[in-house]
Amino acid sequence: MNATATDQLPVVVIGAGPVGLAAAAHLVGRGLEPLVLEAGPVAGAAVRAWAHVRLFSTWGEVTDPAAEKLLAPTGWVKPDVKTYPSGGDWAERYLQPLADALGDRVRTGATVTGVSRAGRDRIVDADREARPFVVHVTHADGREERLFARAVIDASGTWSTPSPAGASGLPAPGEKAAADRVTYRVPDLEDPSVRARYAGRRTAVIGSGASAFTALAALADLAREQAGTEAVWILRRGISGSTFGGGTADQLPARGALGLAAKAAVDEGHADAVTGFRTEAVERDGDNRLIFVAEDGRRLDPVDEAIVLTGFRPDLSFLSELRLGLDERLQAPVGLAPLIDPNQHSCGTVRPHGANELSHPEQGVYLVGMKSYGRAPTFLALTGYEQVRSVVAAIAGDHESAERVELALPETGVCGGTGLFAQPDTAHPTPDGGCCAPTPALLQLGTVTP
């Protein structure tokens, strides 16, 4: 297949989440043909998995301009930009209408199992860049298909690959066998069936981020209503002044409120904190309860359930035949990694970036959205929209636009954290123009925005 023919092929976008659908909208706006492949049964499948969760970001910060332009002829009306959508709102009122507007360009139940250059594995140099990409797809009915593409934009996120409890980065011995009692998501304790699983029982919460705070706060609320409900909070590090975030001084008030709620769970005795505990094994006692064992030999008292919230990581397995340039620590593109290092940056200090930082030795392939951040946790939707604007411009050959930064972030940033508020209709921007809700009665918070 010659270069001219390759230019007539679609751009394959992997994932029909917020960033993947935005990429498709930008491609359409550039006169390029997108083909969006979504593994789930519907667009926004990962977002729908946390439908009960409310975002910190307002409607004004979670829609893409190119997507809005594509939606306009359909009669779509943008929700009040000052209000805060839940995951379900985001999916039903924006992502699904956008997928509908894209029509047959979005295929659901289509799992990408491999991407390569047609006729060239990763070791072959000859004529490589002139070859189209070949994308292997398995459909929900088991049918296999090969698709050809001029470029590939991977916006598949990290939702499907949570990190384990094991301190080595691998599942601890016994962790997989304990799958019936372990979850890697913040449970929705407003769901009666889920609530019954934790009520009156002892639960281990592993992790030190916003999701762990949420689980602790939610379990504390349950403990105040249901006797016998208790938690043990397992941290790999110690507790310091910054463990619970900025509190009332936090520039993101809802995030600060969450940290205070987690601190209250500990201070009120609803959760026992165990510090410096690096999980080496998970065992069972005679009653089939779980016993966590640390590298230093400590054994915790048995628990009935475990909530493991140690972050997410990218699935790179289906990209193994491509020549990717990834940071050895974060598994993010080498040009992006220094900008998002969680040891140095929060979401508000990551500067906008695009095709240059997201490029790889394999020209024409880009990792965008949450997946571009690798193992770094502080992704935000607005940054993802700027990424795909720049990437699509580069694919279209408009390098001037690709290199131009077109996003100005508020000083505090718009973190990817989410939270279910008791009274969402009363949430408004902070008086100083900040991005997030004022201190609410916080009930639930999920993972970073996908």
Side-chain angles (χ1 to χ4, degrees):
M1 184 176 291
N2 60 41
T4 302
T6 298
D7 288 343
Q8 303 306 311
L9 293 172
V11 176
V12 164
V13 179
I14 306 173
V19 177
L21 292 175
H26 281 275
L27 287 163
V28 170
R30 289 275 183 176
L32 302 176
E33 189 63 20
L35 178 57
V36 184
L37 302 174
E38 166 59 47
V42 291
V47 175
R48 294 172 193 271
W50 44 273
H52 60 287
V53 173
R54 192 165 300 278
L55 281 72
F56 283 157
S57 303
T58 66
W59 272 113
E61 296 153 343
V62 297
T63 60
D64 176 80
E68 292 184 24
K69 184 176 180 180
L70 188 64
L71 282 166
T74 71
W76 179 79
V77 177
K78 186 174 182 175
D80 185 344
V81 297
K82 295 181 180 180
T83 59
Y84 296 79
S86 66
D89 295 333
W90 204 13
E92 291 299 329
R93 300 179 66 184
Y94 171 65
L95 299 179
Q96 189 60 56
L98 181 53
D100 291 342
L102 288 164
D104 292 341
R105 298 181 178 103
V106 179
R107 299 184 187 177
T108 58
T111 300
V112 175
T113 59
V115 183
S116 185
R117 290 282 188 177
R120 303 288 187 270
D121 65 24
R122 67 181 296 160
I123 68 172
V124 178
D125 292 332
D127 198 33
R128 186 176 189 85
E129 292 183 5
R131 307 291 295 182
F133 291 96
V134 59
V135 181
H136 287 230
V137 182
T138 299
H139 294 271
D141 60 4
R143 177 172 54 91
E144 294 182 299
E145 184 179 14
R146 287 194 316 159
L147 301 169
F148 294 93
R150 63 179 293 173
V152 175
I153 300 175
D154 183 356
S156 58
T158 58
W159 177 255
S160 64
T161 46
S163 297
S168 64
L170 301 172
E175 184 175 346
K176 291 183 178 179
D180 60 320
R181 291 177 179 260
V182 178
T183 181
Y184 297 87
R185 307 286 192 271
V186 177
D188 177 12
L189 296 187
E190 297 302 302
D191 182 325
S193 63
V194 176
R195 192 177 186 84
R197 176 175 175 176
Y198 298 94
R201 312 185 85 185
R202 178 175 169 84
T203 299
V205 177
I206 305 176
S208 58
S211 294
F213 289 174
T214 300
L216 292 170
L219 289 169
D221 284 344
L222 182 57
R224 296 180 185 106
E225 300 176 9
Q226 178 69 53
T229 303
E230 57 181 311
V232 54
W233 183 22
I234 301 175
L235 298 99
R236 293 173 180 172
R237 59 190 184 188
I239 293 179
S240 66
S242 62
T243 296
F244 297 100
T248 57
D250 200 311
Q251 291 180 312
L252 300 174
R255 183 179 61 186
L258 179 60
L260 292 175
K263 186 176 187 301
V266 175
D267 291 345
E268 295 173 16
H270 299 302
D272 297 323
V274 179
T275 60
F277 191 100
R278 304 185 66 81
T279 301
E280 185 173 72
V282 182
E283 300 177 356
R284 301 261 192 173
D285 70 358
D287 296 322
N288 210 31
R289 302 172 82 199
L290 304 182
I291 299 174
F292 283 84
V293 183
E295 290 178 337
D296 59 11
R298 281 183 290 168
R299 301 169 63 87
L300 300 184
D301 291 338
V303 298
D304 300 289
E305 301 286 342
I307 303 172
V308 179
L309 302 167
T310 53
F312 292 83
R313 55 185 59 179
D315 177 8
L316 301 169
S317 60
F318 60 87
L319 303 176
S320 62
E321 290 303 315
L322 297 177
R323 299 175 178 181
L324 302 181
L326 299 174
D327 179 75
E328 61 183 12
R329 292 187 304 121
L330 297 182
Q331 294 180 296
V334 292
L336 176 60
L339 306 181
I340 61 173
D341 186 341
N343 295 304
Q344 303 292 330
H345 295 282
S346 69
C347 56
T349 63
V350 175
R351 67 174 174 82
H353 52 272
N356 287 342
E357 293 84 358
L358 298 170
S359 63
H360 293 276
E362 191 81 70
Q363 294 185 20
V365 61
Y366 300 92
L367 277 57
V368 300
M370 188 65 230
K371 189 162 186 177
S372 72
Y373 271 41
R375 300 193 183 198
T378 53
F379 178 74
L380 58 148
L382 283 176
T383 295
Y385 297 154
E386 172 61 11
Q387 286 182 340
V388 295
R389 184 207 62 77
S390 174
V391 163
V392 170
I395 293 171
D398 186 351
H399 300 292
E400 179 183 354
S401 179
E403 294 178 3
R404 185 172 63 247
V405 173
E406 296 184 353
L407 176 65
L409 295 174
E411 186 174 342
T412 57
V414 187
C415 284
T418 53
L420 182 62
F421 305 139
Q423 296 178 315
D425 292 338
T426 64
H428 297 285
T430 54
D432 63 356
C435 59
C436 304
T439 304
L442 187 62
L443 300 180
Q444 182 78 16
L445 182 131
T447 61
V448 293
T449 303

